[in-house]
Amino acid sequence: MQSESARMSSAAEARFRIDAPNSKPRSVKVIALDEPSERIVKELSQRTWNRAAFFTASSFGGTPKQGESFSGWLSDLAGRTKNLIEEVNSADLVVMVAAAGENAQAASIIGEACSLKRVTTTALVLGGPSISDEALSKTLSHLRPWALMLVIATAEDYIADMLTALRA
Amino acid sequence: MLRKEQNDLLCQTGPGTPMGRMFRASWQPALLAEELPENECPPVRVKLLGERLLAWRDTDGNYALTDEFCAHRGVSLWFGRNEHGGLRCPYHGWKYDHTGQCTEVPSEPSESGYCQKIKLKSYPLVERGGVLWTYMGPPEQQPPLPEWEFAMVPASHSFMSKRLQESNWLQAMEGGIDSSHVSFLHSGELNSDPLFKGSKGNQYNMNDMKPVFEVVESPGGLYIGARRNAENGNYYWRVTQYVMPAFTMIPPRADHPVHGHFWVPIDDENCWAWSFDYKVTRPLSDKERKAMEAGQGIHVAYVPGTYIPTANKTNDYLVDRKAQKEGRTFSGVFGIAMQDASLQESMGPIVDRTKENLVSTDNGIIMARHRLLRALKTMENGDMPPGIVAAHQHVRSAAVVLPPDKHFKDAAKEALVVQTGKEHVTV
Ligand code: FES
Ligand SMILES: [Fe+2]
């Protein structure tokens, strides 16, 4: 008699895989860290997504000073300010997008908020082959401490591919 | 997840398919040199990229890879008589040379030149590093022979094996770049397999089960860096190489031979998992070679007379539930290769990627698919896919400890390419 593994791994049996959703939508928050990325993220936000939301932190560089809070630290792409902690709190994944060579300092604020709320972070660095190693290293050094996954991509459309792959 | 059309695009490699064209743009391992051990030895059936071929070796030692079937009435030339400079079909005696050219049609007067009009499709077959390589693309675009490092070191320094995997090539290949499964599925082997154990890197692996990953595009494909904490705030990096379409190289451990794979489609539901091991500056020791021959490390033991693993789907991979309970093997299957293969075959011949739920740590896989799809696009404009030129093949995996502010791609620049006469950089 055929073993169970042999029978069940056949193409004929594969047809019986249950055709029902095996996940619920997840909330992916994509945050541009600088102006070049903001442009890309803006374009992305025009497409249809399940639950992805897009933000920018490009005009927020430093840590809020004493007395200030995170309440107005982030903005959506229409320019409305958002509360970083709240946004992170309701995210399943935070994706930070940075252009190679740009100052990615905002990553530490976002990263800190994510580690506080135990939210996974992914950082995506976009940069063509023309970007110098030093420029890239600078951006990376800001991101590395805060990203559990760091991707350096040469093509802009990688973000869209990644978000689609993640069902964002 | 991947849309169905994209999945089909990447999984289908038969003649005329885009992905098939990518595989046909570079030299692929077709069979082991040991399978054609001497002149006039028995021919071997070879199915590659959905094409049924026959590999054989003529009286003068010329290797041949031709259409499996006789042009006359379609008999398999596997039954052919390998004699006097050619292969003769046993049915009506038509004879072919190593280029597939028919040289005799006994029923026709030789003066008629009838046989000149008959030629079997054939592909070049060349030995390098114990492997017989073939190129199945347009003859006018045939690239120079492959220069993967394992194939360039002396024979005493390397070992190559292959095993049948009953799944599409892509789900096999994706296992090769899926660094996050190692600490689970293969946890038993890190400390017991003679070809893995006793490396300092294994300690880092086991002390830090949640590595942080960096996925970086390389000229030929990807570097996948897995970062774990080492002493004094430094990072232990393991950098895997992926070169398109189907080459993966595992980071080294201590002084053990370095290993890697090719994942070559037989057809859309089967592939050859090729596994190599080598050292640059020294021969493999007897002990190492014996272990590899016995199927340890990334190799397997075979059903005698075949390249089918002893533990295979017909015997439920010899799953041992007691060993699983006792923690001797994570999945109940023994051996690194079959731990991978059993799970990848269990997905079905072609996994339905529309049902996946990928997570952030899967970015290596996401990027590999993205690069493949991108390469397919550029091929539409007549560009060559990556992986063909020697520079893309002169790559190495590496295991390094680096200060926290260093990018592995720069800091390990030299470690990631072939350094003639020097071993891999390893921990
Ligand atoms: S945990 Fe990854 S396939 Fe099940
Ligand atoms: Fe594995």
Side-chain angles (χ1 to χ4, degrees), chain B residues 175 181 186 340:
Chain B
H181 78 279
H186 307 311
D340 287 321

Side-chain angles (χ1 to χ4, degrees), chain B residues 40-173:
Chain B
E40 293 187 1
C41 61
V44 178
R45 282 191 177 102
V46 174
K47 190 180 186 193
L48 272 186
L49 307 174
E51 296 186 43
R52 299 255 316 247
L53 300 162
L54 195 71
W56 50 284
R57 187 167 162 179
D58 76 6
T59 317
D60 304 317
N62 295 306
Y63 287 115
L65 187 63
T66 54
D67 182 348
E68 184 191 331
F69 301 99
C70 181
H72 182 209
R73 288 187 50 225
V75 164
S76 173
L77 291 167
W78 184 78
F79 291 98
R81 299 177 58 86
N82 192 346
E83 59 187 17
H84 313 301
L87 195 65
R88 190 185 292 283
C89 180
Y91 213 3
H92 310 95
W94 292 25
K95 191 174 179 186
Y96 303 91
D97 73 11
H98 71 280
T99 69
Q101 178 61 54
C102 181
T103 53
E104 262 183 72
V105 175
S107 62
E108 306 299 306
S110 62
E111 303 76 43
S112 77
Y114 184 85
C115 67
Q116 290 304 314
K117 307 238 161 81
I118 306 291
K119 187 168 192 297
L120 298 176
K121 177 80 197 152
S122 84
Y123 298 114
L125 191 64
V126 181
E127 195 275 340
R128 182 166 267 191
V131 174
L132 297 176
W133 303 84
T134 188
Y135 166 76
M136 295 167 67
E140 66 282 3
Q141 285 169 16
Q142 182 175 319
L145 287 176
E147 292 192 13
W148 306 102
E149 190 176 32
F150 74 87
M152 306 303 279
V153 298
S156 55
H157 295 204
S158 76
F159 180 85
M160 180 60 130
S161 73
K162 68 171 196 182
R163 65 171 166 80
L164 177 70
Q165 175 155 337
E166 295 176 64
S167 82
N168 182 263
W169 77 278
L170 187 63
Q171 68 212 54
M173 188 283 280

Side-chain angles (χ1 to χ4, degrees), chain B residues 374-389:
Chain B
R374 216 165 84 204
L376 289 178
K377 268 233 173 73
T378 62
M379 285 175 70
E380 281 173 17
N381 307 327
D383 287 6
M384 280 285 141
I388 300 174
V389 296

Side-chain angles (χ1 to χ4, degrees), chain B residues 175-176 178 181-182 185-186 250 261 263 298 336-337 339-341 344:
Chain B
D178 176 2
H181 78 279
V182 179
L185 183 59
H186 307 311
I250 304 162
H261 306 276
W263 313 94
I298 60 168
I336 290 165
Q339 287 165 352
D340 287 321
Q344 291 156 7

Side-chain angles (χ1 to χ4, degrees), chain A residues 41-62:
Chain A
V41 167
K42 253 192 190 134
E43 266 172 40
L44 270 181
S45 68
Q46 308 298 314
R47 308 195 198 179
T48 342
W49 301 101
N50 292 323
R51 265 281 172 100
F54 299 86
F55 303 89
T56 176
S58 70
S59 47
F60 306 90

